[in-house]
Amino acid sequence: MGHHDRPYYASKETLWKTIWSWIYTVDHKKIGVMYLCAVLLMFFLGGVFAMALRAELWEPITNVTKQVQAEVQATDDAGRLVYENGAEVLVPVLNDDETPVLDADGEPKVEPKKNDAGQKVNAEGEPLGDPVMTPEVDADGNPVYEEVIEREGELFKGWTSESGTVNSNNVYNRLFSLHGTIMVFLFIIPAIPAALGNIFLPIMLGAKDVAFPKLNLGSWYIYIIGGLFAVYSLIAGGVETGWTFYTPYSTSTNWGSVTSMVLAAFILGFSSIFTGMNFIVTVHKLRVPGMGWFDMPLFIWALYATSIIQVLATPVVGITLLMLVFERTLGIGIFDPALGGDPVLYQHFFWFYSHPAVYIMILPGFGIVSELIAVHSHKRLFGYRAIAFSSIGIAAVSFLIWGHHMFTSESPSANVVFSALTFLVGLPTAIKVFNWTSSLYKASISWTTPMLYAAFFIFCFTIGGLTGPPLATLATDIHLHDTYFVVAHFHYVMMGGTVLAFLGGLHHWWPKFTGKMYNENWARLASILVFIGFNITFFTQFFLGTQGMPRRYATYVPEFELLHKISTFGSWVLAIAFLMHAVVFAFSLAGGRRAPRNPWGGLTLEWYADSPPVEHNFSHEPLLTHGPYDYDLVVPPGWDPADYPLPDPEAVARAHGH
């Protein structure tokens, strides 16, 4: 086998040369595989933090609180709470004339027992204020103490300090902040473009590589540097700002770790910009001869629209985050009102990027679903041009609707404008869903794992889309703003959309870039469990939101306990399903059967390449003789016409002008 006929990942003469060839590679496939490994690792870390969040929300109070309540197990004859030894926990509140103080219901008020110095004491009269076993310190360096707090007749244990700073939810805040930051900046934004896009965009265009191979390698190392800053932030104590880094949280908490995480997001933005620039030039300049704009696969159209957003929007958030760092380090009054700044200005800058970033996340998923439906239903896509133009339309409208994140801090006229624009973005998205479902009509569907994920995507993303209008409508958003309804809507769009599409694309192209098939039965089972676990986890949260459960709270009233337990149970099913997928892929790499060139019957150019592709993608320059979805005209490469429905002879004759 010649040098140029070997698989792209073939080993060199020695182990050191093999490692060196990956470190300094400019092969887009190797860079894409490295991105894929990195984003999967980030997905795992983000998932661990998510599981920790759901475990915390299993009950309305924390495990620490349960330990305090365990000491209170009985009531005396008068109905008063007592310890096991019969000593009172609560004592009545008396007026100056020794008569009981009554509450709003006419019942005597009670308070925790205190000594003469006014300190709360336990049943033995000992003060409640001894340092915890591993003392923590607050922002001023004072030791943190345990304290029993009586709240609405129930005992809770909170974490307080001598300075009065309450730290009871710090760990929870750090968990959900790290979950959001890792999932958004380190996983979901680069997952499809930088990983699957890097591997397959040049091959689908018939090119040997991207336009700027060295810039592509540079974007990978910039991603790694940004990831290292994020890891340092994790080691340094984490952040409590949420993934949005809203001021004043980001200007007043955890100086080192917050600054490090903000710099991580800033650095990762450059990786995103470089990838977008590379893809735009590659699409314009490196298409195989004969491939016009409307001969490109829809996955390429989606990546092209995504790249436009990356190049135009990412610099805005980069400058914003840099200003935030300057404010923290130099005390410049840009966003801090104490220094003459405006915290809402930060939100405008941030969402001007971050709402287009939502489409950086979802647009590549749209492209994948278009490929999955066409290939696994063996049918020409309905409305190819409408789907292609809708991707560009989404990219354009995405820049106009950032203000709907700030309905509570804008003027009524601005709210009306942004509400109307938010409804507008639903039109190009609805076009895609309509065309996908129309394409499935009378199709010859193969229910492979990728096709299952395409169907699950349409179901979940439609729910995500239909739950958007209540948030865009000013009257209903008043009630739903900052509730779990927003959490559920966001995850139905991002996870029910992007992640399901990513998993579908990964299964779809796995045989092509690894050269190995996976166990289809186990993969199908895992995909079904993903669908079930996802819907149990997040559909429940719509009910939590409509009932008024606020998001980002570590504790909640007991009325929400059942719904939280159902949601947490769903997260366990989801975790099991992802582990099953990991095992399926591991067994595929270790001993999967060799993949044929075209296992699914696709017509786009990657199915003309070997499985896995050679170093320069094709042994000979490919020749484009048909469109990407001409299933009514062409038998897929590598397929026997006896095993594939022959094209209609009359349609073939018309296509060739006979």
Side-chain angles (χ1 to χ4, degrees):
M1 183 180 292
H3 173 72
H4 295 292
D5 296 325
R6 297 187 303 168
Y8 69 94
Y9 56 69
S11 300
K12 304 298 181 182
E13 292 81 4
T14 64
L15 177 61
W16 172 245
K17 286 185 177 181
T18 300
I19 295 173
W20 194 261
S21 70
W22 281 82
I23 292 175
Y24 282 97
T25 185
V26 290
D27 186 342
H28 66 97
K29 298 180 292 298
K30 288 183 177 180
I31 294 171
V33 169
M34 291 191 291
Y35 262 119
L36 180 63
C37 295
V39 298
L40 289 176
L41 175 61
M42 293 301 108
F43 182 65
F44 171 75
L45 290 177
V48 169
F49 292 133
M51 295 298 295
L53 293 177
R54 293 311 318 167
E56 172 67 19
L57 294 168
W58 177 255
E59 292 181 320
I61 52 178
T62 64
N63 293 331
V64 163
T65 308
K66 287 176 61 179
Q67 295 171 7
V68 176
Q69 287 189 323
E71 301 174 8
V72 185
Q73 297 184 353
T75 58
D76 61 12
D77 295 337
R80 294 171 298 190
L81 290 172
V82 296
Y83 288 104
E84 291 183 27
N85 60 10
E88 287 188 25
V89 178
L90 303 175
V91 296
V93 180
L94 302 178
N95 293 309
D96 293 337
D97 58 359
E98 301 297 322
T99 59
V101 175
L102 303 181
D103 60 20
D105 299 322
E107 299 293 332
K109 283 188 175 181
V110 292
E111 66 179 7
K113 200 171 184 178
K114 297 181 180 179
N115 59 18
D116 295 337
Q119 298 172 305
K120 296 181 179 70
V121 295
N122 61 17
E124 289 75 29
E126 299 168 344
L128 292 170
D130 296 329
V132 296
M133 293 300 294
T134 305
E136 297 182 14
V137 294
D138 62 15
D140 299 321
N142 297 314
V144 178
Y145 293 93
E146 288 184 305
E147 181 180 17
V148 174
I149 305 170
E150 193 273 330
R151 184 186 306 165
E152 297 181 2
E154 296 184 80
L155 287 179
F156 290 80
K157 177 178 284 187
W159 300 95
T160 65
S161 69
E162 289 181 345
S163 66
T165 304
V166 178
N167 297 307
S168 58
N169 298 327
N170 282 6
V171 173
Y172 179 85
N173 292 341
R174 291 170 188 171
L175 285 174
F176 87 72
S177 298
L178 289 170
H179 166 70
T181 305
I182 289 173
M183 284 297 200
V184 170
F185 292 108
L186 288 161
F187 168 66
I188 206 165
I189 286 179
I192 297 178
L196 296 180
N198 242 322
I199 296 172
F200 288 105
L201 179 137
I203 304 179
M204 296 175 84
L205 292 174
K208 294 181 178 180
D209 210 314
V210 292
F212 306 114
K214 292 182 179 179
L215 185 67
N216 197 22
L217 180 63
S219 72
W220 157 248
Y221 282 113
I222 290 172
Y223 175 86
I224 292 297
I225 294 170
L228 292 176
F229 271 84
V231 170
Y232 172 78
S233 177
L234 176 63
I235 296 172
V239 296
E240 302 168 29
T241 63
W243 72 274
T244 57
F245 309 118
Y246 273 1
T247 56
Y249 308 117
S250 55
T251 55
S252 60
T253 60
N254 295 17
W255 189 92
S257 56
V258 172
T259 302
S260 174
M261 188 63 81
V262 170
L263 285 173
F266 172 74
I267 294 168
L268 291 167
F270 282 95
S271 175
S272 185
I273 292 170
F274 290 169
T275 299
M277 290 170 53
N278 225 334
F279 284 1
I280 290 173
V281 178
T282 303
V283 169
H284 275 267
K285 296 296 184 181
L286 297 185
R287 301 193 305 272
V288 69
M291 180 180 284
W293 281 95
F294 296 105
D295 297 315
M296 295 193 306
L298 287 168
F299 182 53
I300 303 299
W301 273 102
L303 290 175
Y304 182 73
T306 303
S307 300
I308 292 173
I309 301 175
Q310 287 175 306
V311 172
L312 295 181
T314 308
V316 177
V317 77
I319 294 170
T320 303
L321 296 175
L322 197 60
M323 288 192 293
L324 185 61
V325 172
F326 287 158
E327 177 142 315
R328 285 187 64 96
T329 55
L330 304 177
I332 300 173
I334 304 172
F335 307 122
D336 187 353
L339 300 173
D342 183 0
V344 178
L345 178 64
Y346 173 85
Q347 295 185 38
H348 279 285
F349 284 158
F350 181 84
W351 286 114
F352 184 80
Y353 159 78
S354 291
H355 200 83
V358 170
Y359 298 99
I360 293 175
M361 305 173 204
I362 192 62
L363 269 172
F366 290 161
I368 286 178
V369 170
S370 297
E371 298 299 322
L372 300 186
I373 290 175
V375 173
H376 296 273
S377 63
H378 311 291
K379 187 182 176 185
R380 180 189 294 271
L381 278 174
F382 178 81
Y384 167 92
R385 294 199 177 203
I387 297 177
F389 283 130
S390 67
S391 296
I392 304 299
I394 290 172
V397 178
S398 69
F399 286 94
L400 307 176
I401 55 178
W402 78 91
H404 72 222
H405 292 272
M406 292 167 284
F407 278 156
T408 58
S409 57
E410 293 175 331
S411 67
S413 57
N415 283 346
V416 170
V417 171
F418 282 118
S419 176
L421 289 171
T422 302
F423 281 104
L424 180 62
V425 79
L427 295 178
T429 347
I431 288 171
K432 290 181 180 293
V433 175
F434 174 79
N435 286 7
W436 291 331
T437 52
S438 299
S439 300
L440 294 174
Y441 180 65
K442 290 187 177 181
S444 177
I445 301 174
S446 299
W447 288 107
T448 58
T449 304
M451 188 63 207
L452 284 175
Y453 271 119
F456 296 157
F457 173 97
I458 293 175
F459 179 86
C460 294
F461 183 78
T462 300
I463 292 177
L466 292 176
T467 52
L471 297 172
T473 305
L474 299 175
T476 50
D477 185 69
I478 291 173
H479 174 65
L480 299 174
H481 188 80
D482 268 344
T483 68
Y484 260 79
F485 191 94
V486 180
V487 177
H489 164 73
F490 181 80
H491 282 83
Y492 263 89
V493 173
M494 291 296 97
M495 188 168 184
T498 305
V499 175
L500 294 188
F502 172 72
L503 289 171
L506 189 58
H507 284 83
H508 178 68
W509 284 305
W510 180 268
K512 177 55 60 177
F513 75 88
T514 65
K516 298 291 185 71
M517 297 299 294
Y518 51 81
N519 188 303
E520 186 65 41
N521 292 328
W522 281 104
R524 282 197 198 100
L525 177 60
S527 67
I528 292 170
L529 287 178
V530 167
F531 178 71
I532 293 172
F534 169 77
N535 282 282
I536 293 175
T537 302
F538 294 107
F539 197 78
T540 312
Q541 295 178 8
F542 286 122
F543 298 103
L544 283 169
T546 54
Q547 293 176 23
M549 172 70 201
R551 60 177 174 169
R552 300 171 180 168
Y553 273 45
T555 58
Y556 53 89
V557 295
E559 286 81 355
F560 297 133
E561 182 173 2
L562 176 61
L563 290 173
H564 271 296
K565 284 190 173 180
I566 294 173
S567 183
T568 301
F569 173 76
S571 71
W572 298 343
V573 177
L574 201 54
I576 292 170
F578 285 135
L579 289 175
M580 286 179 62
H581 273 315
V583 172
V584 168
F585 286 139
F587 273 93
S588 170
L589 291 175
R593 64 182 177 87
R594 184 175 179 179
R597 176 175 292 189
N598 191 7
W600 316 122
L603 287 178
T604 45
L605 289 180
E606 76 271 24
W607 304 112
Y608 286 82
D610 292 335
S611 298
V614 296
E615 185 175 351
H616 294 298
N617 299 336
F618 301 96
S619 301
H620 305 282
E621 184 177 53
L623 178 65
L624 190 68
T625 58
H626 55 78
Y629 310 114
D630 288 343
Y631 289 95
D632 54 341
L633 304 175
V634 182
V635 174
W639 282 55
D640 189 330
D643 299 327
Y644 188 87
L646 288 174
D648 179 7
E650 294 183 2
V652 174
R654 287 194 302 271
H656 290 281
H658 300 302

